Amino acid sequence: MRKCVKSTLYKAFEQCSDSINFGNSIYVIDGGYLLHRVVWNHMESFASICNNYIEFVRIYYKSNAVIVFDGYPEDANKSTKCAERLRRSRKHSSADVLFNDSIIPTISQEKFLANDRNKKRLIEMLTTKFLNAGFEVEQAEEDADRLIVITAISKLSEFDSVIIIGEDIDLLVLLTALASNNQNIYLLKPGKGKIEQQIYSSTSLQVDKSVAENIAFVHAFSGCDSTSALFNQGKIKLLNILKQNTQLNEIVEIFREENADSHNISEAGERVLAALYGYSDDVRSLNDIRYYCFTRSVYKTKFNLASLPPTEDAARQHSFRTYYQESTAIVRIHKKSRKMGMEKEQHRINAIPH
């Protein structure tokens, strides 16, 4: 799966002023960010490490903060992020570590957290200790981003404002898509080194509402943790195309429809890809565009096959994957339905419970 630099999408959002008065507020903290943010000291037991996490949250984010952790399914192969998690684990692989409060880790924090089973055990320990310390803790079935934003929205009825703490652009995308009318929900991206903290809101995306509603599609179609990126076709480029092409922006609304027709999904995806590669609707097919691009490139001294548009079959699967990603992230939340899976049946992609 080709990776992209997801954080480039931050360029499309306008920061809020640092002088915002949050009033009576609550923090909702991305547990994945927190695990890496607190640095472990040398020769420190896991009990002491956990206490450091608690003190960090208490000092910087109040005692009524909510911490939301990722979940790790028993069968990792059924996870929508299995490819991404496998890629991350290959960077810093480590053995399983069985530990309790008194054990002192003998490997680095980075290697320890690269193993999902180690991370799962640490989250279980942290959850118990955070609860005992009076904090509220939530854990998603899998990726926590959706639950973080849902939790933030639900807390708005109790507080003047809600501040999400995290670095992942996925949080801001979901916040924009799900809470566009709630201006008092913010994402605070903490500073690091010489980079100062940044604050965004659900209305930070400076585009028409119709385009903002499709921001989750832009993010998924151009590549995220569960969809492959398109070679040299960035997120900002796709967003600008939708801003300029009203008709295309209306076409991609199908990716937000429940139980959309698979043929229409595939067709919409091809229209988007044609626009990305600079071709209009008068071109007969994506395979034709691929052929045109190839014939123009064979005379170049340097040519990368990856720069060609995908085949129609590959584009179809990419569109289905994008639809599944957006339907689980957006449509399912709006409908408040049960956990669903996706099943392709004839010419329709149906949601079925499992």
Side-chain angles (χ1 to χ4, degrees):
M1 188 171 74
R2 182 180 290 115
K3 288 295 297 176
C4 66
V5 183
K6 295 193 305 178
S7 58
T8 57
L9 193 54
Y10 269 115
K11 297 176 183 178
F13 294 84
E14 186 175 301
Q15 293 185 46
C16 300
S17 170
D18 287 337
S19 59
I20 296 174
N21 180 11
F22 293 122
N24 178 29
S25 60
I26 186 172
Y27 292 91
V28 179
I29 304 172
D30 180 356
Y33 152 79
L34 183 64
L35 288 175
H36 293 272
R37 182 69 172 189
V38 177
V39 179
W40 298 3
N41 296 321
H42 183 59
M43 296 300 292
E44 203 169 33
S45 68
F46 278 99
S48 180
I49 289 171
C50 289
N51 287 334
N52 289 342
Y53 279 108
I54 293 171
E55 286 305 307
F56 178 86
V57 174
R58 183 176 284 125
I59 291 171
Y60 291 100
Y61 304 119
K62 300 182 180 180
S63 297
N64 64 342
V66 182
I67 301 93
V68 184
F69 289 108
D70 286 327
Y72 295 86
E74 292 296 330
D75 188 352
N77 292 326
K78 291 184 178 180
S79 167
T80 56
K81 290 183 65 175
C82 60
E84 173 63 14
R85 285 176 172 170
L86 179 62
R87 184 191 67 82
R88 292 175 183 174
S89 66
R90 286 174 176 171
K91 284 186 175 181
H92 304 282
S93 60
S94 70
D96 289 2
V97 178
L98 299 178
F99 58 91
N100 55 33
D101 282 1
S102 61
I103 295 293
I104 297 174
T106 57
I107 59 176
S108 69
Q109 178 180 2
E110 195 170 27
K111 285 188 175 181
F112 180 92
L113 294 175
N115 185 311
D116 284 349
R117 289 179 291 275
N118 292 342
K119 193 183 294 185
K120 182 179 179 181
R121 295 188 192 102
L122 179 60
I123 288 173
E124 290 172 354
M125 179 181 285
L126 280 171
T127 297
T128 301
K129 292 185 180 295
F130 268 117
L131 290 172
N132 291 338
F135 290 93
E136 184 178 342
V137 180
E138 301 281 352
Q139 185 170 16
E141 294 181 3
E142 197 176 327
D143 188 77
D145 294 337
R146 293 189 296 270
L147 182 57
I148 290 170
V149 175
I150 293 171
T151 302
I153 294 173
S154 68
K155 292 294 181 182
L156 198 58
S157 60
E158 306 172 38
F159 298 88
D160 296 336
S161 59
V162 182
I163 303 101
I164 297 173
I165 305 297
E167 298 176 326
D168 199 338
I169 185 63
D170 294 16
L171 294 170
L172 187 52
V173 168
L174 287 170
L175 181 61
T176 303
L178 297 173
S180 58
N181 295 324
N182 295 319
Q183 298 186 23
N184 291 334
I185 303 181
Y186 302 91
L187 171 68
L188 191 156
K189 184 182 178 186
K192 184 183 296 183
K194 295 182 179 180
I195 302 175
E196 297 182 354
Q197 73 173 20
Q198 301 167 14
I199 303 174
Y200 300 90
S201 76
S202 56
T203 58
S204 287
L205 186 60
Q206 301 300 304
V207 295
D208 292 340
K209 182 180 178 182
S210 60
V211 179
E213 289 175 346
N214 287 323
I215 188 62
F217 163 79
V218 171
H219 185 48
F221 197 84
S222 57
C224 62
D225 288 343
S226 56
T227 59
S228 182
L230 300 165
F231 186 78
N232 276 353
Q233 304 296 333
K235 295 179 178 295
I236 300 298
K237 179 180 179 180
L238 178 54
L239 181 62
N240 288 335
I241 287 174
L242 293 186
K243 287 164 63 176
Q244 298 164 9
N245 192 329
T246 305
Q247 184 181 11
L248 190 63
N249 188 57
E250 293 175 355
I251 289 172
V252 301
E253 289 179 2
I254 191 172
F255 286 89
R256 290 189 282 118
E257 293 180 7
E258 189 177 27
N259 297 331
D261 184 85
S262 61
H263 175 74
N264 293 338
I265 293 171
S266 177
E267 191 176 69
E270 286 190 28
R271 295 279 293 275
V272 173
L273 287 167
L276 267 175
Y277 286 90
Y279 288 84
S280 58
D281 295 339
D282 57 357
V283 180
R284 288 182 298 176
S285 71
L286 196 59
N287 285 341
D288 288 340
I289 296 176
R290 183 178 171 87
Y291 175 74
Y292 297 153
C293 290
F294 177 76
T295 55
R296 287 192 310 174
S297 302
V298 290
Y299 300 104
K300 297 180 180 179
T301 55
K302 291 184 179 180
F303 170 59
N304 191 336
L305 280 173
S307 64
L308 294 176
T311 63
E312 289 182 359
D313 288 339
R316 184 179 302 111
Q317 296 305 318
H318 183 72
S319 296
F320 289 162
R321 187 72 176 179
T322 299
Y323 176 77
Y324 177 72
Q325 171 66 20
E326 186 165 2
S327 66
T328 54
I330 307 299
V331 177
R332 189 172 64 184
I333 293 174
H334 280 316
K335 297 291 183 180
K336 296 183 180 180
S337 59
R338 295 175 296 169
K339 182 183 178 185
M340 309 295 277
M342 298 305 298
E343 176 184 72
K344 183 180 177 184
E345 180 182 345
Q346 295 179 352
H347 291 292
R348 185 168 293 277
I349 296 179
N350 294 319
I352 59 170
H354 67 265

